[in-house]
Amino acid sequence: MKIALILDPLSSLKVKKDSSIAMMAEAARRGHELYVMMQEGLMWKGGRVVGENLRLTLTGEKDHWYRAAPPIETPLAEFDAVLMRKDPPFDSEYVTSTWLLELAQREGARVFNDPRAVRDHNEKLAIARFARFAAPTLVARLPEQIHEFIDANADVIVKPLDGMGGQSVFRVTDSDPNRYVIVETLTRHGARTIMAQRFIPEIRDGDKRILLIGGKPVPYCLARIPKPGETRGNLAAGGSGVARPLSARDAEIANAIAPELERQGLLLVGLDVIGDYLTEVNVTSPTCFREIADQTGFDVAAMFIDALEAACGR
């Protein structure tokens, strides 16, 4: 197959940790051709959606891990699969990319994850579709509503709806002298909607990333454990990752949600679960392939390429 990946700049990818590189390595091992493009290389030109792309050859070396051919322009419909792996923020340019990718689908392109599904599933707010698995949560922009929620729950996490990697995530208690300025800052004085969730003490045991591939859960999760003095488990915020088998509750949540997300066109999803509660549904560029594979021996990338081949009828 000819597989195109829409990525962040190649120089920003970490060879030992990046899930996109793990996908590419497995695809190359099976003889598939790899092409990469940046988000800015997507365009509607000559009546078709095309991408400025590079044919990529993996070298297996640590420092110079790829060779790239000169850039060319190719209609997205000429690839067998297009993988949207651009990291958030999910801003207006990301939305524009989903529109272009939808147009490409109409021309025959196979895009994963489905661009409409990506656009429709805000990674924080998507838990509302599965509210029975969520902790007490409020999504609002009115400061008085948020302060009522803080008073009612005493210990709360507040965060923007478009963040990633633990950015701008705050823990606020009802007695916190900074609670008003935190809420003012996050909501921009009531101009921006945010999420507030009751604090889940089990974060001390890790913020679990559960991967769903082709409607089925990977049997291991990565528990991202906060560093001392932190309440954020995100690896980008200094958390450490420990792979574990899914608990009974993890499996219950994953197996209940996975078929519905697959029906929506989401081939790869990363659920975040703290304790017994679903906290996020990540659909843009889920990660943790490498960490789970390195610690357990379970080949997540192989499971993903199996699902991709099946979705493309190969």
Side-chain angles (χ1 to χ4, degrees), residues 151-264:
D151 289 335
N153 289 276
D155 197 351
V156 169
I157 294 292
V158 289
K159 54 188 175 181
L161 294 178
D162 59 354
M164 64 167 289
Q167 296 172 354
S168 300
V169 175
F170 292 89
R171 181 180 178 185
V172 182
T173 65
D174 53 355
S175 60
D176 190 332
N178 295 310
R179 59 183 278 185
Y180 294 97
V181 70
I182 290 172
V183 172
E184 286 174 5
T185 300
L186 281 182
T187 65
R188 298 174 184 160
H189 295 273
R192 180 173 74 166
T193 301
I194 68 169
M195 174 173 282
Q197 288 179 322
R198 188 178 69 192
F199 176 70
I200 306 170
E202 288 81 3
I203 184 62
R204 63 180 176 270
D205 300 319
D207 181 352
K208 294 172 284 187
R209 168 57 56 83
I210 301 171
L211 293 170
L212 309 179
I213 297 175
K216 298 178 181 178
V218 171
Y220 299 92
C221 66
L222 189 76
R224 297 160 298 173
I225 300 172
K227 64 183 180 181
E230 261 283 8
T231 56
R232 299 173 300 169
N234 310 75
L235 301 182
S240 58
V242 178
R244 298 173 180 160
L246 299 187
S247 69
R249 176 61 170 176
D250 296 338
E252 177 189 1
I253 294 171
N255 285 314
I257 291 175
E260 172 61 21
L261 294 177
E262 185 189 27
R263 282 193 294 271
Q264 296 291 326

Side-chain angles (χ1 to χ4, degrees), residues 21-228:
I21 297 179
M23 294 175 183
M24 290 191 284
E26 177 61 20
R29 189 188 68 78
R30 301 185 188 198
H32 300 310
E33 297 178 12
L34 300 173
Y35 301 81
V36 300
M37 63 186 78
M38 303 301 108
Q39 186 180 33
E40 58 267 27
L42 280 175
M43 59 193 110
W44 187 64
K45 182 177 180 181
R48 303 188 74 182
V49 179
V50 303
E52 183 181 84
N53 63 93
L54 309 170
R55 171 77 185 272
L56 214 66
T57 301
L58 305 187
T59 65
E61 298 176 12
K62 177 181 178 182
D63 296 323
H64 305 286
W65 58 274
Y66 68 88
R67 292 193 304 271
I72 59 173
E73 293 178 7
T74 307
L76 266 58
E78 293 185 8
F79 297 106
D80 295 293
V82 177
L83 307 183
M84 180 51 161
R85 292 283 303 168
K86 172 74 176 66
D87 280 343
F90 197 86
D91 53 16
S92 61
E93 283 302 313
Y94 214 119
V95 173
T96 299
S97 294
T98 66
W99 289 332
L100 288 169
L101 291 170
E102 265 194 288
L103 289 172
Q105 285 180 315
R106 295 178 186 177
E107 298 164 5
R110 295 187 180 95
V111 184
F112 307 95
N113 283 325
D114 179 83
R116 180 184 291 271
V118 169
R119 196 169 60 243
D120 288 350
H121 287 75
N122 175 273
E123 296 189 324
K124 307 293 190 295
L125 190 51
I127 65 169
R129 297 171 183 255
F130 311 103
R132 66 192 184 278
F133 297 121
T137 300
L138 171 73
V139 176
R141 57 189 275 189
L142 294 175
E144 57 268 28
Q145 290 288 334
I146 297 164
H147 286 295
E148 284 182 17
F149 185 84
I150 294 171
D151 289 335
N153 289 276
D155 197 351
V156 169
I157 294 292
V158 289
K159 54 188 175 181
L161 294 178
D162 59 354
M164 64 167 289
Q167 296 172 354
S168 300
V169 175
F170 292 89
R171 181 180 178 185
V172 182
T173 65
D174 53 355
S175 60
D176 190 332
N178 295 310
R179 59 183 278 185
Y180 294 97
V181 70
I182 290 172
V183 172
E184 286 174 5
T185 300
L186 281 182
T187 65
R188 298 174 184 160
H189 295 273
R192 180 173 74 166
T193 301
I194 68 169
M195 174 173 282
Q197 288 179 322
R198 188 178 69 192
F199 176 70
I200 306 170
E202 288 81 3
I203 184 62
R204 63 180 176 270
D205 300 319
D207 181 352
K208 294 172 284 187
R209 168 57 56 83
I210 301 171
L211 293 170
L212 309 179
I213 297 175
K216 298 178 181 178
V218 171
Y220 299 92
C221 66
L222 189 76
R224 297 160 298 173
I225 300 172
K227 64 183 180 181

